[in-house]
Amino acid sequence: MLIFEKTLNHVIMKNLVFAIVLTIGAFLVQAQDKTIILTETGSPYTNQSWFYSGRGNELQESNIEKNWDEGRRITSVAYTDNGWFVTMAKNTGVGRQSYSYSADWPIDWIKEKWGNDYNITAIGRSQSKWLVVMSQDSGYTTQYWCRDNWSELKEWYDEKREEGCYITDMAYNGNMWTLVASKTDKIKSQGYLWANSYEDLKSKIKTKIWGNSYNIHAIGYGGGQYLVVYGKYSSNNERGQNYVVNPSDVSDYIDKRWADSHEIAYIGGGYNGSNYVNHNAPVYQSSGLLIDQTSVDPSLLGPTYNYSGGNSTGGNYHYTNPGTSYRCPICSGTGMCDRCGGTGQRVVDLGIRGNKINQCGVCHGTGRCHQCHGKGKIR
């Protein structure tokens, strides 16, 4: 009997420890992903649209094509806590667009597009795929990208800053950062900083960025740290900004920002781990305020490529993967907008002045779910 009790207790203890490990592991995995939304006033964008795929799902390519057909252009992409997150708008100033959605970084495709007068305007990385968006008429005259060890990357970017280039997008692949640096007259100065927690992020943005009249250019997350790129724009520098990390209700947050005349300026994501094997363990360091002496983060691996001009044109490119239809997680299959209940209107409480009826900022008055566009199913 004594032996049986010891064995039983041992089994119970092993199972308990195993359950605790699984619970902690699940929490850590869940905590790795981020959805970072940056909005600002003074944007030229009109009729903005956004959508996400849901964690673990493929990019919603049909939504991109539909928005292209309606005259919108991709303004930002990232792999987030909500899966692939894409924002699109009209009046962006960019021309024709193409994108590559594949497991490998599309070196040859980028070189081909550079030769056809396209530049990289947005990049994102999930645990298995890259999404690279390239656009004509982007306002970038010279462009570089780099992936290397942190020490090499810092030296590389210092060189590019001397040439007048700025970070225009970035993505984290699980153990490295990929940076895109472009020469553009849209940015006047730029710096970066690291934050080790959300509280640290809020404090540094308030004091070191907004407190010095700088603007956030981009926020990303990787390896347990936030990377914030910031500086001054060449024009319209006094713009209002707002950001959030992992909002409980993405739709509600964006709807409120739109009501305040904000547009989505940047979507950031990131996670601690990926399917990549890290052959060069990154070293994370927290930098101080470095305006016009920008550096970046941990490691990046691979060659450096640059673009310095082109004059021919090319057609849109897209990878098609229809996938499997499933019930839309936003409208639960009803096809109706989850913010206005399908009415296309939102009632704004004006207090003693009564109520005001506005067009719903999520469905833009259509009453249709912004995720599935009224179909009730998505791929």
Side-chain angles (χ1 to χ4, degrees):
M1 186 65 179
L2 182 60
I3 296 176
F4 175 76
E5 288 181 348
K6 284 185 176 180
T7 304
L8 182 59
N9 289 338
H10 178 67
V11 171
I12 292 173
M13 184 58 68
K14 282 182 64 178
N15 289 339
L16 179 60
V17 171
F18 182 66
I20 293 172
V21 169
L22 283 179
T23 302
I24 294 174
F27 173 77
L28 291 175
V29 169
Q30 184 179 12
Q32 288 172 356
D33 299 294
K34 303 292 182 184
T35 296
I36 305 170
I37 304 173
L38 172 66
T39 67
E40 61 186 23
T41 60
S43 169
Y45 299 160
T46 59
N47 200 223
Q48 191 171 56
S49 176
W50 62 272
F51 51 91
Y52 55 71
S53 64
R55 185 194 290 243
N57 296 322
E58 294 290 344
L59 175 70
Q60 294 175 314
E61 298 183 79
S62 60
N63 277 355
I64 294 177
E65 293 171 13
K66 180 180 183 296
N67 277 275
W68 271 348
D69 291 342
E70 294 174 354
R72 297 183 185 86
R73 295 292 179 264
I74 300 169
T75 54
S76 187
V77 303
Y79 190 79
T80 71
D81 183 57
N82 292 285
W84 283 110
F85 203 125
V86 180
T87 65
M88 302 182 71
K90 295 181 179 180
N91 198 36
T92 61
V94 304
R96 302 178 74 174
Q97 285 189 319
S98 297
Y99 69 87
S100 173
Y101 180 54
S102 59
D104 299 318
W105 178 260
I107 295 176
D108 293 335
W109 180 81
I110 291 173
K111 292 170 67 176
E112 174 193 343
K113 288 299 178 184
W114 271 343
N116 289 328
D117 203 24
Y118 285 74
N119 282 289
I120 301 170
T121 50
I123 63 173
R125 170 72 193 185
S126 71
Q127 293 190 354
S128 60
K129 288 187 177 179
W130 281 102
L131 175 58
V132 180
V133 180
M134 300 189 70
S135 310
Q136 292 182 331
D137 306 317
S138 62
Y140 303 151
T141 56
T142 303
Q143 190 169 74
Y144 305 85
W145 67 266
C146 187
R147 201 173 303 140
D148 208 331
N149 293 325
W150 160 233
S151 58
E152 300 297 327
L153 177 62
K154 180 182 184 304
E155 181 179 348
W156 172 84
Y157 191 69
D158 286 344
E159 289 180 7
K160 299 310 161 205
R161 281 297 296 110
E162 291 296 321
E163 297 176 19
C165 295
Y166 302 96
I167 296 173
T168 50
D169 217 320
M170 59 189 183
Y172 187 72
N173 71 2
N175 53 40
M176 310 181 223
W177 288 90
T178 298
L179 301 180
V180 178
S182 310
K183 185 174 289 186
T184 174
D185 59 6
K186 298 178 182 179
I187 300 174
K188 184 178 180 180
S189 65
Q190 194 177 77
Y192 81 97
L193 58 78
W194 293 99
N196 296 317
S197 66
Y198 184 55
E199 292 302 318
D200 190 29
L201 176 72
K202 290 194 297 182
S203 174
K204 288 181 176 177
I205 286 178
K206 181 179 179 180
T207 59
K208 294 188 175 183
I209 300 179
W210 289 344
N212 288 302
S213 299
Y214 297 126
N215 292 281
I216 302 168
H217 293 166
I219 306 176
Y221 179 83
Q225 289 184 305
Y226 294 93
L227 169 59
V228 186
V229 179
Y230 64 95
K232 291 194 174 183
Y233 293 108
S234 299
S235 61
N236 188 27
N237 194 63
E238 298 299 324
R239 58 188 72 186
Q241 290 192 315
N242 200 298
Y243 69 93
V244 68
V245 177
N246 285 359
S248 58
D249 188 329
V250 173
S251 245
D252 184 61
Y253 176 80
I254 294 176
D255 199 20
K256 288 178 179 177
R257 299 286 74 76
W258 278 347
D260 289 337
S261 300
H262 280 234
E263 299 292 337
I264 303 169
Y266 191 85
I267 298 294
Y271 44 89
N272 284 329
S274 77
N275 294 332
Y276 272 53
V277 176
N278 184 7
H279 297 291
N280 299 286
V283 177
Y284 298 96
Q285 300 177 351
S286 178
S287 73
L289 188 68
L290 295 178
I291 285 294
D292 286 330
Q293 297 180 22
T294 307
S295 307
V296 198
D297 170 48
S299 56
L300 289 115
L301 178 83
T304 300
Y305 293 92
N306 72 285
Y307 159 73
S308 57
N311 51 29
S312 61
T313 59
N316 282 329
Y317 165 88
H318 65 273
Y319 165 95
T320 302
N321 181 4
T324 303
S325 295
Y326 60 98
R327 190 175 69 173
C328 175
I330 300 300
C331 67
S332 300
T334 66
M336 295 188 300
C337 174
D338 67 316
R339 302 310 303 163
C340 67
T343 66
Q345 299 177 335
R346 297 293 300 275
V347 178
V348 180
D349 185 2
L350 300 179
I352 61 174
R353 291 179 294 167
N355 295 331
K356 178 183 177 182
I357 298 177
N358 286 346
Q359 183 186 83
C360 177
V362 175
C363 68
H364 302 291
T366 66
R368 297 192 300 267
C369 172
H370 70 269
Q371 180 83 339
C372 65
H373 301 285
K375 296 179 181 178
K377 292 184 178 182
I378 59 178
R379 293 186 181 275

